[in-house]
Amino acid sequence: MTSVQGTAVDITTADGVADAYLAHPADGLPHPAVLLYQDAFGLRPHLRAMADRLAGAGYTVLVPNVFHRHARTPVFDLPEFIDPSQRPQIWEQIAPVMQALTPDLAMRDAGAYLQWLADSPLAADGPVALSGYCMGARLALFTAGTYPDRVAAAAGFHGGRLATDAPDSPHLVAKDVTAELYFGHADQDGSMPPEQQRLLAETLTSAGVRHRCEVYPGAHHGYTQADTAAYDKEADERHWAALLDLLARTFPAS
């Protein structure tokens, strides 16, 4: 692990300024870039720590506040340890903000995030990788299909509603994806049941997308998030191994 520098940055989008967190090796040199998409709880210390860990492995990592239209970070008033079963009112804050972020708006923002990385002297030339968590897994898949020339690899962990009958279901972008994809499903996740897992895998296969979809036994939705009640240490470490393996294949010289 190398020493890491983390800073707050602002990204100009078509709909205003998105605050973000940037983590990178402290050498100041360009490194392969990773766009990390948040879960529903938003940009907070735990996600910054995840970005720092990736940066320590040799990557430049950008974590945007995808809810920037509503507020700068912190968007929500969250406890240090998040347990929605003890504070169900958390979802009263979060649900409408999530619903307001339509695929069209999110992908307009994604273009700005990718352009910011392309312009950054801390990001190596060429396409980037994506890693998304919960709702961020949806954003990662949408981004891979919307900007295929800018995305070399994308991973999604405990993502929900990735393959539904909705006209804007994320799996429908598979035909446009050129990146290698990885999905780590939580097997105790009502938002991504076996039928959706099958439909996602079948659609990716039919589209000729290089991919791996795995189910993490016993894991619940949110298993990577150590500041929440859903955290599962074994599943989280499996996620890190899978993500770092994907990045090493994507950027073999990094």
Side-chain angles (χ1 to χ4, degrees), residues 53 223-224 231-241:
R53 180 167 174 175
Y223 61 76
T224 62
Y231 182 65
D232 183 315
K233 180 174 175 54
E234 181 178 351
D236 182 34
E237 288 306 314
R238 181 176 174 181
H239 133 262
W240 279 111

Side-chain angles (χ1 to χ4, degrees), residues 39-49 73 78 82 225 227-228:
D39 63 356
F41 298 125
L43 179 53
R44 59 194 192 281
H46 175 63
L47 287 187
R48 294 185 183 95
T73 302
L78 298 173
I82 304 167
Q225 303 301 297
D227 60 348
T228 76

Side-chain angles (χ1 to χ4, degrees), residues 134-232:
C134 299
M135 61 167 281
R138 290 171 52 88
L139 298 180
L141 181 50
F142 275 130
T143 303
T146 305
Y147 299 96
D149 60 329
R150 291 289 299 125
V151 179
F157 300 93
H158 45 81
R161 298 184 58 78
L162 296 175
T164 72
D165 58 3
D168 60 355
S169 176
H171 78 291
L172 297 176
V173 305
K175 65 185 185 305
D176 300 315
V177 172
T178 58
E180 179 179 353
L181 304 184
Y182 176 92
F183 292 97
H185 303 306
D187 74 347
Q188 303 294 309
D189 189 348
S191 69
M192 193 65 190
E195 56 269 25
Q196 284 195 45
Q197 296 174 21
R198 286 192 295 270
L199 178 57
L200 175 62
E202 290 168 359
T203 304
L204 295 175
T205 298
S206 296
V209 177
R210 293 168 296 152
H211 71 279
R212 183 184 305 169
C213 297
E214 298 182 328
V215 178
Y216 290 24
H220 291 261
H221 184 81
Y223 61 76
T224 62
Q225 303 301 297
D227 60 348
T228 76
Y231 182 65
D232 183 315

